[in-house]
């Protein structure tokens, strides 16, 4: 496969992704009108469905029977429901008005309804996982959900905190993003009865890829266009979410003090734009891009430990997508 083959990989799993989509719509349904409408709004907003795709690819590490294939689809849908739940909660925490270019659940229905929608989606994910007969999958997913919630609390704690270290930032994005991608890879492989060596390698691959994915996402908050990214540029700064480019910029002489002074609750749009400009004038984005590439290089290195060459090739295409994505 060439580096331009993301579409080919996606097409290979199109039928299974359509099955995942059907499961998502089925399980997001509710007799409670607000829950049903809010969940439907999230589904209608779409998304890359990368976590299900990772799970489906890694779920073919060994030959599957038809019933196993169905269980992988359910696992993939449960992972996406969990991801959707965290997005709803994040939008409440960040007071975000837009996601993927559309109004967020909180902006349409209010914070309380949004929080309960997130809880509902978590519950639906657990309900779906109960249909997957694999205690190890249940154990890893339950631990993952605990860590996801811990990560959300840590994110709140570190809003507007310029004293946080780069290590703190990396731990936060590990729980926010890398954790669920690592689980997608590892549990997909586990559902296919892959070897423990393959499962371990794929989990680590998912971790490194997830770390890079979030760093790239944080870079796009400074350089992406709202029409493509689906949310205003500088949104993280406005919300007090200090990401790697900003943390590096804050250590830059003649810039750091002004930047720190601009970022505060209730800052206006002019302050946001000036803060973004200051970050762009430093090495913040360069440092972030370099670190993202280092994580992707590690991901590709650990991928060589996976026994299935086709899985290796397909996952390497996804790492290229992570490196080059603009949304």
């Amino acid at each position: 496969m060439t580096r331009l083959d993301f579409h080919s990989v996606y097409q290979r799993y199109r039928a299974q992704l359509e099955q995942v989509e059907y499961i998502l719509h089925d399980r997001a349904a509710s007799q409670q009108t607000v829950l049903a409408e809010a969940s439907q709004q999230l589904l209608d907003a779409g998304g890359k469905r990368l976590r299900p795709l990772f799970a489906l690819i890694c779920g073919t590490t060994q030959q599957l029977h038809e019933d196993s294939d169905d269980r992988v689809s359910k696992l993939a849908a449960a992972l996406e429901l969990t991801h959707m739940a965290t997005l709803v909660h994040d939008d409440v925490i960040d007071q975000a008005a837009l996601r993927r270019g559309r109004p967020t659940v909180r902006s349409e229905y209010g914070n309380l309804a949004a929080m309960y929608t997130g809880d509902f989606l978590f519950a639906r994910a657990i309900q779906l996982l109960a249909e997957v007969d694999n205690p190890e999958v249940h154990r890893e997913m339950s631990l993952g959900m605990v860590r996801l919630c811990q990560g959300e609390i840590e994110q709140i704690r570190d809003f507007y905190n310029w004293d946080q270290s780069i290590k703190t930032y990396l731990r936060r994005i590990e729980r926010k993003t890398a954790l669920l991608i690592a689980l997608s890879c590892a549990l997909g492989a586990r559902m296919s009865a892959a070897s423990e060596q393959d499962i371990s390698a794929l989990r680590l691959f998912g971790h490194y890829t997830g770390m890079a994915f979030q760093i790239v996402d944080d870079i796009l908050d400074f350089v992406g266009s709202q029409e493509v990214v689906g949310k205003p540029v500088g949104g993280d700064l406005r919300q007090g979410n200090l990401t790697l480019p900003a943390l590096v910029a804050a250590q830059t002489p003649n810039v750091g003090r002004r930047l720190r002074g601009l970022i505060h609750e209730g800052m206006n749009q002019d302050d946001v734009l000036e803060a973004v400009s200051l970050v762009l004038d430093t090495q913040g984005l360069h440092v972030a891009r370099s670190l993202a590439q280092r994580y992707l290089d590690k991901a590709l290195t650990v991928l060589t430990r996976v026994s299935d060459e086709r899985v290796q090739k397909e996952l390497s295409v996804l790492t290229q997508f992570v490196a080059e994505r603009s949304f």
Side-chain angles (χ1 to χ4, degrees), residues 14-160:
R14 182 172 180 176
Q16 290 154 287
L17 285 167
E18 288 176 351
Q19 174 66 13
V20 170
E21 202 70 27
Y22 172 82
I23 296 170
L24 289 173
H25 282 268
D26 179 62
R27 299 310 172 101
S30 172
Q31 293 181 336
Q32 210 294 322
T33 304
V34 172
L35 286 176
E37 290 179 354
S39 299
Q40 188 62 47
Q41 179 175 319
L42 278 169
L43 288 169
D44 288 345
K48 294 173 281 293
R49 303 293 190 250
L50 275 181
R51 290 152 193 83
L53 185 55
F54 277 116
L56 293 171
I57 292 173
C58 295
T60 60
T61 307
Q62 299 292 328
Q63 187 65 40
L64 293 175
H65 299 294
E66 186 174 346
D67 61 335
S68 297
D69 188 63
D70 180 62
R71 288 187 300 146
V72 175
S73 294
K74 287 182 177 181
L75 168 68
L79 288 159
E80 188 67 7
L81 285 169
T82 302
H83 173 56
M84 290 167 58
T86 66
L87 294 183
V88 180
H89 287 167
D90 278 348
D91 287 339
V92 173
I93 293 168
D94 299 340
Q95 301 182 45
L98 292 175
R99 180 175 288 279
R100 297 169 186 155
R102 299 192 179 199
T104 57
V105 171
R106 67 162 292 276
S107 67
E108 289 281 309
Y109 300 94
N111 285 339
L112 288 177
M115 292 304 293
Y116 281 117
T117 300
D119 295 345
F120 169 71
L121 293 172
F122 265 129
R124 285 300 204 195
I126 294 168
Q127 191 177 47
L128 189 54
L129 283 168
E131 300 174 21
V132 176
D133 184 19
N134 191 313
E136 190 60 24
V137 168
H138 299 167
R139 186 188 71 81
E140 288 203 51
M141 274 298 294
S142 61
L143 288 174
M145 287 179 172
V146 168
R147 292 176 62 199
L148 280 169
C149 293
Q150 290 172 336
E152 287 185 345
I153 294 297
E154 289 177 356
Q155 180 174 324
I156 297 171
R157 180 199 64 195
D158 288 325
F159 277 171
Y160 302 104

Side-chain angles (χ1 to χ4, degrees), residues 223-267:
V223 300
S225 98
Q226 180 171 333
E227 291 74 20
V228 177
V229 177
K231 57 182 181 180
V233 173
D236 284 337
L237 290 178
R238 180 185 289 279
Q239 295 150 10
N241 182 21
L242 306 178
T243 59
L244 183 58
L247 291 172
V248 172
Q251 301 302 319
T252 304
N254 304 320
V255 171
R257 179 175 295 182
R258 176 60 180 166
L259 180 62
R260 291 168 185 253
L262 286 169
I263 308 303
H264 56 80
E265 291 189 58
M267 62 190 297

Side-chain angles (χ1 to χ4, degrees), residues 1-11 314 317-318:
M1 289 186 181
T2 70
R3 68 188 187 93
L4 300 176
D5 263 345
F6 178 79
H7 179 72
S8 299
V9 173
Y10 191 90
Q11 285 299 114
E314 291 177 352
V317 169
L318 296 197

